[in-house]
Amino acid sequence: QVQLVESGGGSVQAGGSATLSCAASGYTGGRYCMAWFRQAPGKEREGVANIHSDGTTSYSDSVKGRFTISDDNAKNTLYLRMSGLKPEDTATYYCAARYAILAFSCTFRTAWYNYWGQGTQVTVSS
């Protein structure tokens, strides 16, 4: 059973930067997809970035060029570096994971992921 724990949220001024971390435990080896999602009050959860264990990444149009997803296999940790933050980036951010052999199977569909963290709040003020 994979467990995911996010950290690094908080309050940031517009235009600022922040880095979220997601520590994974219970990983038994094999290829995987990991992703960052976010959910603002009254809105559906949306995918912002995903990464396959082969290094392939994908971003939503809303964050492309501002956010960078990466993972550190040695530390079993997923990161989301966010820059140029905007008030509309305010949300609870979740990391998610699923074992997946092929990189093209990584998706932004919430139902596809088996494992989820509890979320960390990011608030961007103008």
Side-chain angles (χ1 to χ4, degrees):
Q1 184 78 1
V2 175
Q3 293 185 324
L4 304 173
V5 179
E6 302 95 336
S7 61
S11 296
V12 185
Q13 291 284 329
S17 299
T19 298
L20 305 182
S21 301
C22 173
S25 60
Y27 171 62
T28 57
R31 299 185 178 187
Y32 58 83
C33 293
M34 294 193 76
W36 287 99
F37 287 78
R38 66 186 182 187
Q39 187 167 20
K43 294 189 177 182
E44 292 186 356
R45 192 171 297 190
E46 62 170 351
V48 296
N50 63 49
I51 185 168
H52 189 259
S53 48
D54 72 356
T56 303
T57 60
S58 181
Y59 297 91
S60 68
D61 289 342
S62 62
V63 306
K64 197 172 296 181
R66 299 188 298 122
F67 290 11
T68 302
I69 189 172
S70 63
D71 63 353
D72 184 331
N73 292 329
K75 296 182 179 179
N76 287 338
T77 301
L78 178 73
Y79 300 99
L80 183 69
R81 186 175 185 282
M82 307 181 292
S83 61
L85 283 163
K86 306 174 182 180
E88 51 262 46
D89 294 318
T90 295
T92 300
Y93 283 73
Y94 300 88
C95 68
R98 173 173 172 155
Y99 289 102
I101 295 175
L102 300 175
F104 75 79
S105 60
C106 294
T107 176
F108 287 134
R109 290 188 294 114
T110 57
W112 189 78
Y113 288 87
N114 302 119
Y115 308 105
W116 290 86
Q118 82 291 347
T120 186
Q121 177 68 35
V122 174
T123 302
V124 183
S125 57
S126 56

